[in-house]
Amino acid sequence: MFAAILLDCIQSIHGERSISGIHNLIQGKKSSQTLQDARLYKLERYFGIYPSLSKLNAHKAAESLERRNFIRFNQENHPVLADEGEKYLEDSFMKDVNFFSGMEHHRNIILFEKRLRLLIQTVTHSELKDFSFLPIVEDPSVQAWMKRLYRNNVISDLLTSLYEELNSLLSALSHLEAELFTRRLTGGGLIGETREQLAHDYHLSVEDVDLLIKHALFYMYRTTLSRQENYPALALCLEGMANEKLITSSARQTLQWLNRGLSLEDIVKKRRLKLSTIQDHVVEAALIDPSFDIGSFISKEGQKDILTTLETLNTNKLKKLFEALDHNYNYFEIRLVVASSKHTFKEDRHAPSSTS
Amino acid sequence: MLRPRLHEQLNNHFGFSEFREGQKEIIEDVLQGQDVLGILPTGVGKSLCYQLPSLLTHGTTLVVSPLISLMVDQVKQLKAKGYKSVIALNSFMDYRERTAALNQLNNYRLIYVSPEMLQNPKIEKVLHTLDVSLFVIDEAHCISQWGHEFRTDYLKMDQVIEKVGNPPVLALSATAAPDVQKDIKKQLGRTNMIDHIYPMDKPNISFAVEFHEHQDDKKARIRHMLAAQRLPTMIYFSSRQSAELVAEELNIALDQRVAFYHGGMEQMDRLLVQQQFMKDQLDVICCTSAFGMGVDKPNIRRVIHYHFPTQVESYIQEIGRAGRDGKPCASIVLYTPHDQLLPKMLMERELPEEAAIERLFAWLTNHSALLPDEEMHEQLQLSESQWNFLKYQLEETQVIFQNTIMFDVELWSKAKMQIRTNLRKRWNYKNEKFHQMRDWLYFTGCRRLKLYEPFQEGVRDAEVDCCDHCGFIIDDAQLMEEEAAGVITHNSWDVRLKRIFLQESINE
Ligand SMILES: Nc1ncnc2c1ncn2[C@@H]1O[C@H](COP(=O)(O)OP(=O)(O)OP(=O)(O)O)[C@@H](O)[C@H]1O
Ligand SMILES: [Mg+2]
Ligand SMILES: [Zn+2]
């Protein structure tokens, strides 16, 4: 699965970003650059799905893709999809069934997972009248949530509901995902298995184990979210989760100053940041907020110019655009137009299919 | 009148019917307000010596513990048993958690804390306000073993004790030779502590050391031993990579569950491995010293050392995990001549070389204050523990005061000499420890006698075959076959899900 995700990213980025850039995206680096990349290349779904992915492992994986002739590296040492890789990607189930929606949900998924694991352990051990088990999730806020939930427990037969809901959701996933997911669970006196153990038993890489389980969690989370009445037990784990828009808090501050009528230069002074950083914030805002007006930063003609070139060249590479426009516009202006142009396309996330 | 009441309390709070050797004596003295040094063998129940008093005294019991994982474990286990007002303050807590904990610290009866935490100004301030009725140093040999180098905060414990109002002090250890005992008392500023020193030898363990040519021979030997007898086993390594590597090899070669454990693992995986092992869902654990101290599984039958530790104290700690149920168990050290290099390398990473002193003073001449620790490591090319050692020495010799460099020609030349002497002493000490360990490996007489010789006079009779010198042969050892109860067969996911949710009887 890791290979398919990397190939998918590489295909969309067509040689314009390095492996590090892709790593930042999958790992969920909260920088303007990475957030912009995710939007520009329509890779929002993979943003932040694997927070613990190390740079080293991302590079190792890329090397192995190269060895299998799935990708090659261009002059700038950026990965490009090769024919073999394209074939592999087409055949992988990621092309049909892809429940990742990282940009929107990656943070909630982390909390959802912790709650679900602790809920399962607690419910099953209570059934066994074993109240002295060691909680598998150590996060104190999740433990507090669990206690609260138990104190005013609303669902009568939580054990059975939880079982049935999980059973039905897991049946809709691939056999492998269901296997990995259940083997990693702790409860009913059974201790879950580590990623290494699962990797060994199923002849997978640790990254594949992590991502397959993560994918299962995305599916469960989104299905529960969209049909809470059908999954009352799992829906308990959604309690109080916000639907936050992704924007760095630093960018938010810059926006607040902008809204109060300060110029970029004023903000630079006020916040003692570099101009380029403040510009990053503006581009970030343009990317995320469709109503953000870039008119005060670049004229209508300028926007049109850049847009035309953008469409003819069909690239997101700033340098190429910059040169094609005869250096008439600076990078900031080009980035702004590129960013806001993304809103003219429809978002193409698919909701989970209702197969359960 | 104390006695019957204590028994009752033991039963009420912990469900034990009898005290084990030494526990009652230590607890009685502690409750009388005496300072106590308690040396009890591994696994006897030193924790109880402060856990029970913490329930019987009016104020807070403060426990200084060397390892975060150890603290967190103990707290979890106490909580699971129903002891609620206990907490471990540690550096992994985020700001919010820590503030919350600090604000209500006086609600806890039992507080675990690391020596480093005690130096944190915020925590120090709160500790002042507590009514501390007992100050405990668990694994007190760490004061001597580590205090002088990378954990120099251990040497400031006497000041902390004073600051919290001079409560009675209890120091506990399973591996403290007479010189270490003296050092502990000295560093704590309590030279008049009452000794409760019990023999620390383990009558239920057999010893064997095997010499091999190559690493591969050791691996083959391990495969052979494990295959011959399936038993709960720990294998110690001094590097993470080798622990991982051998675990993988064993997994492929054997039809047993093998996993590795070290400090670099993800938190949940660490928990899972530990609990699998506790619940007998794992046969063999390949680990570094990160797994050990405080691990309290009753039925570990075999502790194998793939690499031997840098000192006898660590070795005794590590084999202390075996046979905590009192039944027969064995220690096997596998040795190749090449293995000598590893401990040497570890030692060199811990202590600075003499040349570093010159470098340090040259640097001091050009600066007016110390930089943050990380930058000092960079600038002086020192490891964390090497720098800790030097920094502490600078403080002691008053070359620095609150991070400011005090320049004084005379003071400096004295300080340099002093530091050089101290450094040599430490190197000698470490080398001695290392040689003591290695000499034991090469020793041709009774290993049991020799191992405990630095700590006590003589040993009790072994309840098992004593050692390879006295006729113990590991391949013939009767270490009891475990029932295969914990072994899980792997069914497909839907069956496992049913088992987890206890649905089997309903749906079949
Ligand atoms: N009086 C007792 N009766 C029965 N079991 C006891 C008693 N005291 C302690 N135990 C049990 O003995 C086990 C070992 O205790 P503990 O972990 O405190 O040992 P320790 O001496 O600190 O060992 P180590 O040196 O390895 O840290 C625990 O499971 C504890 O519950
Ligand atoms: Mg202990
Ligand atoms: Zn002997």
Tab-separated table of all heavy atoms in Angstrom, chain B residues 43 45-47 50 70 74 138-139 293-294 321 324, ligand 2:
chain	number	residue	atom	x	y	z
B	43	GLY	N	13.303	-8.866	43.485
B	43	GLY	CA	12.060	-9.616	43.433
B	43	GLY	C	11.445	-9.951	44.768
B	43	GLY	O	10.386	-10.585	44.827
B	45	GLY	N	10.369	-7.730	47.014
B	45	GLY	CA	9.284	-6.797	47.308
B	45	GLY	C	9.769	-5.562	48.030
B	45	GLY	O	9.274	-5.207	49.098
B	46	LYS	N	10.710	-4.872	47.436
B	46	LYS	CA	11.197	-3.638	48.050
B	46	LYS	C	10.149	-2.536	47.952
B	46	LYS	O	10.039	-1.708	48.848
B	46	LYS	CB	12.498	-3.191	47.359
B	46	LYS	CG	13.692	-4.052	47.755
B	46	LYS	CD	14.986	-3.548	47.157
B	46	LYS	CE	15.113	-3.850	45.678
B	46	LYS	NZ	15.145	-5.291	45.370
B	47	SER	N	9.384	-2.558	46.866
B	47	SER	CA	8.385	-1.500	46.697
B	47	SER	C	7.444	-1.439	47.883
B	47	SER	O	7.042	-0.368	48.328
B	47	SER	CB	7.568	-1.737	45.431
B	47	SER	OG	8.369	-2.241	44.405
B	50	TYR	N	7.915	0.919	50.962
B	50	TYR	CA	7.442	2.308	51.069
B	50	TYR	C	5.971	2.442	50.710
B	50	TYR	O	5.305	3.375	51.129
B	50	TYR	CB	8.292	3.264	50.227
B	50	TYR	CG	8.421	2.914	48.762
B	50	TYR	CD1	7.417	3.240	47.858
B	50	TYR	CD2	9.548	2.263	48.278
B	50	TYR	CE1	7.538	2.927	46.514
B	50	TYR	CE2	9.676	1.943	46.936
B	50	TYR	CZ	8.658	2.274	46.063
B	50	TYR	OH	8.788	1.954	44.733
B	70	LEU	N	9.949	2.711	34.456
B	70	LEU	CA	9.779	2.017	35.723
B	70	LEU	C	8.723	2.694	36.591
B	70	LEU	O	7.849	2.042	37.170
B	70	LEU	CB	11.129	2.016	36.438
B	70	LEU	CG	11.261	1.305	37.765
B	70	LEU	CD1	10.982	-0.161	37.601
B	70	LEU	CD2	12.680	1.489	38.311
B	74	GLN	N	4.989	1.197	37.627
B	74	GLN	CA	4.589	0.997	39.018
B	74	GLN	C	3.278	1.713	39.298
B	74	GLN	O	2.405	1.183	39.978
B	74	GLN	CB	5.684	1.538	39.936
B	74	GLN	CG	6.953	0.739	39.821
B	74	GLN	CD	7.484	0.298	41.191
B	74	GLN	OE1	6.875	0.547	42.209
B	74	GLN	NE2	8.610	-0.374	41.180
B	138	ASP	N	14.677	4.686	45.364
B	138	ASP	CA	14.633	3.299	44.898
B	138	ASP	C	15.825	3.079	43.972
B	138	ASP	O	16.294	4.023	43.336
B	138	ASP	CB	13.317	3.051	44.155
B	138	ASP	CG	13.011	1.563	44.046
B	138	ASP	OD1	13.745	0.757	44.655
B	138	ASP	OD2	12.037	1.208	43.346
B	139	GLU	N	16.292	1.854	43.893
B	139	GLU	CA	17.481	1.548	43.082
B	139	GLU	C	18.619	2.510	43.461
B	139	GLU	O	19.226	3.153	42.590
B	139	GLU	CB	17.163	1.663	41.588
B	139	GLU	CG	15.896	0.947	41.134
B	139	GLU	CD	16.056	-0.564	40.962
B	139	GLU	OE1	17.193	-1.070	41.097
B	139	GLU	OE2	15.044	-1.244	40.728
B	293	MET	N	14.856	-3.396	34.793
B	293	MET	CA	14.609	-2.839	36.111
B	293	MET	C	13.124	-2.776	36.421
B	293	MET	O	12.366	-2.130	35.712
B	293	MET	CB	15.199	-1.436	36.171
B	293	MET	CG	16.219	-1.292	37.272
B	293	MET	SD	16.699	0.400	37.421
B	293	MET	CE	18.325	0.331	36.738
B	294	GLY	N	12.711	-3.479	37.449
B	294	GLY	CA	11.322	-3.395	37.853
B	294	GLY	C	10.392	-4.366	37.145
B	294	GLY	O	9.266	-4.553	37.573
B	321	ARG	N	15.531	-10.674	37.053
B	321	ARG	CA	14.200	-10.839	36.440
B	321	ARG	C	13.769	-12.296	36.453
B	321	ARG	O	12.587	-12.596	36.344
B	321	ARG	CB	14.218	-10.383	34.970
B	321	ARG	CG	14.650	-8.968	34.724
B	321	ARG	CD	13.940	-7.995	35.579
B	321	ARG	NE	14.865	-7.390	36.528
B	321	ARG	CZ	14.512	-6.863	37.691
B	321	ARG	NH1	13.256	-6.888	38.063
B	321	ARG	NH2	15.401	-6.335	38.493
B	324	ARG	N	11.253	-15.208	39.675
B	324	ARG	CA	10.696	-14.429	40.780
B	324	ARG	C	9.628	-15.207	41.522
B	324	ARG	O	9.214	-14.827	42.621
B	324	ARG	CB	10.182	-13.073	40.272
B	324	ARG	CG	11.345	-12.115	39.970
B	324	ARG	CD	10.946	-10.929	39.146
B	324	ARG	NE	10.485	-9.774	39.924
B	324	ARG	CZ	11.265	-8.770	40.318
B	324	ARG	NH1	12.559	-8.814	40.053
B	324	ARG	NH2	10.778	-7.749	40.975
C	2	MG	MG	12.054	-2.586	42.671
